[in-house]
Amino acid sequence: MDTLRGMRTFVRAVELGSLSAVARELQTTQPTVSKTVAALEQELGVRLLNRSTTHLAPTEQGRRFYERARRVLEEYGEAVADARGLTETPAGLLRVSAPVSIGVLRLNRLVQEFLALYPQIEIELILNDRYVDLVEEGMDAALRLGANLPPNAVARRIALSPRGLVASQAYLRAHPPIDAPQDVLNHNYLRFAWASESVELQGPDGEVQRLQANGRYRINNSLGIRESFLIGAGVGLAPAWLVQDLIDSGELSWVLPQWRASAHEVYLLYPARRYLPLRTRVFLEFLRERLLELPGFFDVENA
């Protein structure tokens, strides 16, 4: 059989989670894809996929084979490109992972700019707030906030985004003044559904204040928090990447700007491999440069 073709088909089946999806991508039929994978399994002498009418997942042997087969196909692609003299032309598919809110609010626009610069690259942007293992889920790169990083990945800390208390001008005019951290306890505090009620703020002289902030509304999405600030629903803690544009426009204000919570650390991640395809390298470099031009992000060295 054509082993490379079989490997490509199997790898895409794992990544797409469906033989029918692979068939659509390859413009062939589902039975043809199924036969290709079955022939590869027969050649290897192991079962690679567990199939049902509604579900497809790699076996343990299939998962291990996927990780190596994907690297083999990437190296083969690089070798072909080099032989054809195409190494300096970034091309191919990039699968990128990012949290939902920063993906929608900031990354989506940057990806469109990148695609305009590199017409031979395709990007599949997967937005998900859950923990993502880049190797297991077939991701080429990821943007992550915070130090809880997945295994089997190289992480480059590229930016910081300060966090502080935020409210709308209308809310602040209609409610008692906030002159000290403890005054926040007299206000409706907006927070993420999974976040602790305990808020730790550090003042300009290093003083630390811990508040048990209370509020009637919690939501598990940063864009929902952003909208809640805008309509004057309360005061809450937010990273600059989420609200700096609205602060610059005067729609929101930092509350007690001399008091800050720990900053969001921004990381670019990619699987720990011997090399990176050119398309991944240029994408990571593009994000590193462009992200720092957006409101609310600061260079690690200058923060």
Side-chain angles (χ1 to χ4, degrees):
M1 67 165 292
D2 184 340
T3 304
L4 279 176
R5 177 169 170 263
M7 289 171 63
R8 288 195 189 97
T9 303
F10 165 72
V11 164
R12 289 306 286 155
V14 172
E15 292 173 347
L16 297 177
S18 164
L19 296 180
S20 298
V22 177
R24 288 192 296 271
E25 182 177 271
L26 299 178
Q27 297 182 333
T28 186
T29 65
Q30 191 270 342
T32 298
V33 171
S34 183
K35 289 178 182 178
T36 301
V37 174
L40 179 65
E41 290 177 321
Q42 184 176 3
E43 180 180 352
L44 298 177
V46 298
R47 188 172 184 83
L48 298 174
L49 295 174
N50 288 319
R51 308 167 181 81
S52 71
T53 55
T54 60
H55 185 66
L56 179 150
T59 62
E60 176 60 24
Q61 296 97 323
R63 186 187 65 80
R64 293 166 64 90
F65 182 73
Y66 163 78
E67 294 175 6
R68 297 201 173 196
R70 190 167 185 266
R71 291 198 295 268
V72 168
L73 291 173
E74 288 174 348
E75 290 192 13
Y76 175 76
E78 290 284 314
V80 170
D82 183 65
R84 293 176 177 173
L86 299 177
T87 305
E88 296 307 315
T89 304
L93 174 67
L94 268 173
R95 302 188 77 236
V96 181
S97 170
V100 175
S101 294
I102 196 170
V104 171
L105 191 62
R106 304 299 180 205
L107 187 57
N108 184 61
R109 183 179 295 271
L110 292 183
V111 166
Q112 297 302 322
E113 291 180 20
F114 179 81
L115 289 173
L117 290 173
Y118 297 97
Q120 296 188 47
I121 292 180
E122 300 175 29
I123 289 184
E124 190 174 286
L125 180 60
I126 307 299
L127 302 181
N128 202 316
D129 289 329
R130 66 174 174 80
Y131 178 91
V132 173
D133 185 308
L134 274 66
V135 173
E136 185 170 323
E137 302 195 28
M139 294 296 166
D140 298 292
L143 179 70
R144 285 289 142 192
L145 302 172
N148 186 19
L149 304 174
N152 306 320
V154 177
R156 295 169 58 191
R157 192 175 69 149
I158 62 165
L160 293 176
S161 189
R163 289 194 303 153
L165 295 169
V166 175
S168 70
Q169 296 282 359
Y171 178 86
L172 294 174
R173 286 194 298 267
H175 292 82
I178 303 176
D179 298 318
Q182 292 297 325
D183 294 337
V184 175
L185 301 180
N186 300 321
H187 290 258
N188 187 38
Y189 185 79
L190 305 174
R191 68 179 174 90
F192 300 103
W194 59 80
S196 169
E197 293 182 358
S198 178
V199 180
E200 183 174 292
L201 300 172
Q202 184 170 346
D205 57 356
E207 179 186 357
V208 174
Q209 288 272 355
R210 290 181 178 83
L211 310 177
Q212 290 296 119
N214 298 309
R216 297 173 51 225
Y217 184 60
R218 296 175 291 280
I219 186 171
N220 70 337
N221 182 272
S222 299
L223 296 179
I225 291 284
R226 174 183 162 101
E227 179 67 14
S228 299
F229 290 141
L230 275 173
I231 64 177
V235 59
L237 197 63
W241 67 260
L242 183 65
V243 296
Q244 189 63 54
D245 57 332
L246 300 178
I247 289 173
D248 293 341
S249 68
E251 296 173 86
L252 298 181
S253 293
W254 290 117
V255 178
L256 302 176
Q258 69 275 27
W259 290 85
R260 296 285 177 158
S262 58
H264 270 178
E265 297 178 300
V266 185
Y267 289 87
L268 288 178
L269 287 78
Y270 54 89
R273 304 184 182 125
R274 285 185 301 147
Y275 75 95
L276 286 177
L278 182 58
R279 60 183 178 275
T280 306
R281 296 200 304 269
V282 296
F283 180 71
L284 292 171
E285 186 59 25
F286 172 85
L287 281 190
R288 187 189 66 79
E289 294 178 357
R290 286 290 288 113
L291 204 66
L292 291 173
E293 298 174 8
L294 298 182
F297 294 95
F298 297 89
D299 194 307
V300 173
E301 296 180 0
N302 299 325

